[in-house]
Amino acid sequence: MDATGYLAPVGFEDQLFNELGDVIERHDRLMFAPGPERRVFWAQNVWRNPVRIAIPSIKGAAKILKFNQRNWALFKFDHFSRAKLIEGHLPHVSAKRQVFGEPAPTAPLGSWTLIDPDTIIASADCSSPWKNGDVEFEEDKVTPPNRAYLKLWEAFTRLGAYPQPGQRTMDLGGSPGGWTWVLHEFGTDVISIDKARLDSKIANLPRVDFRQESAFGLNPQEIGHIDWLCSDVICYPDRLFTLVNQWMDAGMATNFICTIKLQGDTDYSAITQFADIPGSKVVHLYNNKHELTWMKVPGVTDQD
């Protein structure tokens, strides 16, 4: 097709469409732009080197896909019954939820869609090892005080890198405590910062040092070195950019996972300034809302 496919997160189709700018073909959330893969922030999965295939029959479609590789994920947007019949002739791919702490899937997983009754578009090489980029976890619906912890679970799982027991971690914008809980569960010493209080069961955890103050008033030299600086603080992107640069310039933090909160129209210049920080990347996590996640983990994000 001499193009690359980009699958938008549900509800953020306009962001991806505007980011690409030159969409030549679109099928619901799946958009194709000319040329090889480019840096985009609003794609949940990228279809590399897609091909358009005229299919002779339902069984013939499955045979063609299986000839290329074993595992395929269907993106459904139309022709549901026929697509389901084709899927039924393909090897089963588990749809079980990700268990946090277990590694991301490693088996190659292609993607395909039926754009009309006789035509498939397929890509054997996709950016996400999960079906359509959907990273759904077996949730803990009892302990964490909100569902924001899923973002941090997803970030660590995608990175394949985790805090280690005894390390110092920091949660900026900690209230009510979902991210603080995640960091504490690794056995780290957590400094949790927010003007609002933590949920009491999180604040009372043994290695949590809660400080009721602004994340923007901290002096990195006074805090000391932090192994993982994590931020889900609500602020404008420029203010977060200033904050992380303060910590990087001071050399007082090694690894960063920070949510870039967006209001109104997407400010691509504000996002790009994060993506241009050497050795880092910006992604839209499946568990993000109208926000992106900036990650800087030496030895991991600088290899992508």
Side-chain angles (χ1 to χ4, degrees):
M1 293 179 62
D2 192 25
T4 301
Y6 303 89
L7 183 66
V10 174
F12 299 101
E13 297 85 354
D14 290 345
Q15 282 81 358
L16 178 60
F17 184 84
N18 293 333
E19 183 179 15
L20 289 171
D22 55 351
V23 172
I24 56 175
E25 187 172 338
R26 178 172 178 176
H27 305 285
D28 194 60
R29 293 191 289 127
L30 180 60
M31 307 175 201
F32 293 88
E37 181 180 356
R38 62 184 74 171
R39 183 177 78 175
V40 295
F41 309 124
W42 292 98
Q44 189 165 291
N45 194 17
V46 178
W47 295 27
R48 305 176 179 118
N49 303 310
V51 293
R52 195 186 312 271
I53 304 168
I55 58 172
S57 63
I58 289 169
K59 290 184 178 180
K63 184 177 180 180
I64 291 168
L65 291 173
K66 287 189 290 185
F67 178 80
N68 285 277
Q69 67 180 32
R70 180 190 185 279
N71 296 330
W72 291 93
L74 167 62
F75 169 62
K76 294 184 289 187
F77 75 95
D78 201 356
H79 311 290
F80 299 105
S81 297
R82 188 168 175 81
K84 196 69 177 175
L85 290 171
I86 295 170
E87 185 180 42
H89 288 281
L90 293 170
H92 175 71
V93 176
S94 175
K96 67 179 182 180
R97 290 173 175 263
Q98 178 76 33
V99 174
F100 182 63
E102 294 184 356
T106 56
L109 180 63
S111 296
W112 67 279
T113 190
L114 190 64
I115 63 171
D116 65 48
D118 302 309
T119 309
I120 278 174
I121 295 180
S123 168
D125 180 14
C126 293
S127 64
S128 177
W130 292 277
K131 286 185 174 183
N132 298 315
D134 295 347
V135 189
E136 297 183 319
F137 286 97
E138 287 287 349
E139 298 187 28
D140 183 332
K141 297 184 178 180
V142 176
T143 314
N146 61 2
R147 299 183 76 249
Y149 75 95
L150 294 170
K151 293 185 285 188
L152 201 52
W153 272 13
E154 182 179 348
F156 285 132
T157 303
R158 290 173 64 146
L159 290 167
Y162 305 87
Q164 299 300 307
Q167 289 187 330
R168 296 184 81 215
T169 60
M170 178 173 284
D171 177 14
L172 302 180
S175 179
W179 283 31
T180 295
W181 170 74
V182 171
L183 295 170
H184 182 270
E185 288 295 288
F186 285 112
T188 71
D189 297 310
V190 190
I191 302 173
S192 184
I193 308 290
D194 205 312
K195 288 183 176 180
R197 298 198 63 83
L198 290 181
D199 182 283
S200 59
K201 66 183 177 183
I202 305 300
N204 291 329
L205 292 171
R207 295 182 309 280
V208 170
D209 174 11
F210 173 62
R211 306 183 186 184
Q212 195 168 6
E213 58 183 304
S214 170
F216 301 97
L218 301 176
N219 184 325
Q221 284 82 2
E222 292 179 0
I223 297 291
H225 183 264
I226 298 296
D227 294 289
W228 288 84
L229 190 152
C230 301
S231 171
D232 200 30
V233 69
I234 298 173
C235 66
Y236 287 105
D238 286 345
R239 200 171 188 204
L240 178 65
F241 185 73
T242 299
L243 184 149
V244 298
N245 273 282
Q246 181 184 14
W247 281 89
M248 287 191 295
D249 291 345
M252 300 305 290
T254 301
N255 305 289
F256 296 81
I257 300 176
C258 301
T259 306
I260 306 170
K261 306 284 186 175
L262 302 166
Q263 292 104 8
D265 293 337
T266 302
D267 185 348
Y268 288 100
S269 63
I271 298 167
T272 300
Q273 65 183 350
F274 282 93
D276 287 342
I277 294 174
S280 72
K281 67 177 182 179
V282 173
V283 298
H284 184 277
L285 301 176
Y286 172 73
N287 290 287
N288 277 144
K289 296 179 181 178
H290 188 209
E291 57 195 11
L292 297 166
T293 298
W294 173 72
M295 301 184 285
K296 186 176 189 296
V297 179
V300 180
T301 54
D302 49 4
Q303 303 300 314
D304 295 340

